[in-house]
Amino acid sequence: MKKLYGTGVALVTPFKRDGKIDFKGLEKIVKHVVENKVDYLVVLGTTAETSTLKKEEKKNIIECVKDINHTKLPLILGIGGNNTEDIIEKIKDINLDDFSAILSVSPYYNRPSQEGIYQHFKSIVNNTDAKIIIYNVPKRTGSNILPDTVIRLANDFDNIIGIKEASGNVLQSYKIIEKKPSHFSLISGDDFITLPVILGGGDGVISVIAQGFPQEISKMVSLAKENKVQEAFSIFYKIINMIELIYEEGNPTGIKTLLSVLNICNSYVRLPLINGTSLLKKKIQNHLNFINQKII
């Protein structure tokens, strides 16, 4: 497959008031981002609240997104966890024909050593032909995949094609970019540092805010890839406060609140997450009005 470039979107899972999946809302989201120039979609990532989805619900979400996307954009599927054997079984149990790669988070809670992380991904790769994108998000997993471990995995396994790097540490991204093989993509997993990561040689972003502003984020990323720095930052500075707002009460609570203000889907989440407050909704609405007056 070609390297992943540009703007990927980490899709949410919309819910109805009764907690059931809102497939009409999911359809609106997918159409919204596909029609507004994003480059690929990430299904069942962290932002999709996968930890509270049942097996059958996940299958239904996959089929829904596939039907709506209709092969327009590449699809990435989240399959990760802290039980290596279970992940291997899940990968074997699913038809991956319509997916370009699997996004697999580093084991959480167990807090493995760097060698443990290496052996975890080695075991996955040795049991599938699927392309693997590593997902490093220390604030959720409790452990950080260090650059040396990333480079070791990238050099040892051709099927490990990239990393979604969400440590929030630009220097860590740069250390990977400096030494990574040519087939390997460094993808920002943090909306705040997407531009410095791309300008330093990164390949794009798997974004949360792009769900609300797909056209703007796609344009910003494209400008950065073209080294049009001022133009890219002019877009970023107009939405930086909104990025802060969507994380003020956690993810995906914030982005769902924004999507509800945009009349794309409801803002309901599942416990142990709670819905965004009325204050957050008001802040987002007010800032959206400001953005609509200013943004390109």
Side-chain angles (χ1 to χ4, degrees):
M1 64 172 284
K2 295 180 180 179
K3 286 183 69 174
L4 286 173
Y5 287 106
T7 302
V9 176
L11 296 170
V12 301
T13 301
F15 298 117
K16 300 177 183 177
R17 184 185 291 273
D18 63 4
K20 294 179 180 178
I21 295 171
D22 176 10
F23 288 102
K24 288 185 178 179
L26 182 56
E27 180 177 356
K28 286 182 72 174
I29 292 167
V30 174
K31 287 182 176 178
H32 176 60
V33 297
V34 169
E35 291 168 2
N36 282 283
K37 312 300 183 185
V38 304
D39 297 293
Y40 59 96
L41 307 176
V42 178
V43 184
L44 298 179
T46 305
T47 302
E49 296 175 73
T50 46
S51 59
T52 56
L53 293 172
K54 299 179 179 69
K55 183 177 180 179
E56 192 64 28
E57 289 177 324
K58 292 178 182 179
K59 288 183 177 179
N60 292 337
I61 289 168
I62 288 170
E63 291 306 313
C64 180
V65 174
K66 282 165 55 176
D67 288 346
I68 300 161
N69 180 56
H70 199 57
T71 70
K72 293 184 184 75
L73 296 179
L75 299 177
I76 309 298
L77 180 63
I79 306 179
N82 60 351
N83 181 336
T84 309
E85 186 175 342
D86 183 56
I87 295 168
I88 292 167
E89 289 304 312
K90 285 178 178 176
I91 292 172
K92 289 179 177 178
D93 190 45
I94 195 164
N95 182 352
L96 295 169
D97 289 348
D98 294 298
F99 290 92
S100 299
I102 291 167
L103 178 67
S104 196
V105 69
S106 179
Y108 46 80
Y109 194 76
N110 312 56
R111 300 189 70 184
S113 65
Q114 294 301 301
E115 184 62 27
I117 292 170
Y118 176 89
Q119 294 297 333
H120 168 82
F121 284 108
K122 177 182 178 180
S123 295
I124 292 172
V125 171
N126 285 341
N127 283 278
T128 181
D129 293 327
K131 306 296 185 185
I132 305 295
I133 301 168
I134 302 164
Y135 181 17
N136 185 39
V137 56
K139 62 188 175 185
R140 287 187 181 271
T141 65
S143 63
N144 183 28
I145 312 178
L146 296 177
D148 286 348
T149 304
V150 175
I151 297 304
R152 184 182 171 200
L153 286 164
N155 284 325
D156 288 355
F157 305 104
D158 290 341
N159 272 20
I160 296 182
I161 62 167
I163 183 169
K164 178 185 176 185
E165 171 50 54
S167 66
N169 185 334
V170 177
L171 181 58
Q172 180 157 304
S173 294
Y174 290 165
K175 286 181 178 179
I176 296 169
I177 291 167
E178 179 190 10
K179 297 179 180 178
K180 70 180 182 65
S182 60
H183 79 277
F184 189 84
S185 297
L186 188 290
I187 303 163
S188 172
D190 188 329
D191 282 309
F192 284 112
I193 60 172
T194 294
L195 287 182
V197 167
I198 293 173
L199 293 170
D203 295 293
V205 62
I206 293 176
S207 172
V208 175
I209 192 67
Q211 213 148 182
F213 298 103
Q215 192 170 37
E216 292 81 9
I217 298 300
S218 296
K219 184 175 182 181
M220 181 189 81
V221 168
S222 294
L223 288 167
K225 294 294 288 181
E226 295 166 9
N227 207 32
K228 296 180 179 177
V229 179
Q230 288 185 330
E231 294 97 321
F233 271 103
S234 72
I235 296 175
F236 176 71
Y237 285 132
K238 286 164 187 167
I239 60 173
I240 186 172
N241 290 335
M242 186 65 83
I243 297 173
E244 285 188 297
L245 285 174
I246 68 165
Y247 288 103
E248 193 170 281
E249 295 183 9
N251 183 45
T253 295
I255 186 61
K256 282 189 165 183
T257 303
L258 172 58
L259 291 170
S260 72
V261 171
L262 292 169
N263 294 315
I264 294 173
C265 71
N266 291 316
S267 61
Y268 303 118
V269 294
R270 281 183 176 174
L271 287 171
L273 301 180
I274 58 172
N275 297 334
T277 61
S278 57
L279 177 60
L280 178 64
K281 187 172 183 177
K282 184 176 180 180
K283 286 181 180 179
I284 286 175
Q285 180 65 73
N286 289 341
H287 197 61
L288 188 63
N289 294 338
F290 171 77
I291 288 172
N292 288 337
Q293 296 171 9
K294 299 288 184 181
I295 204 157
I296 296 172

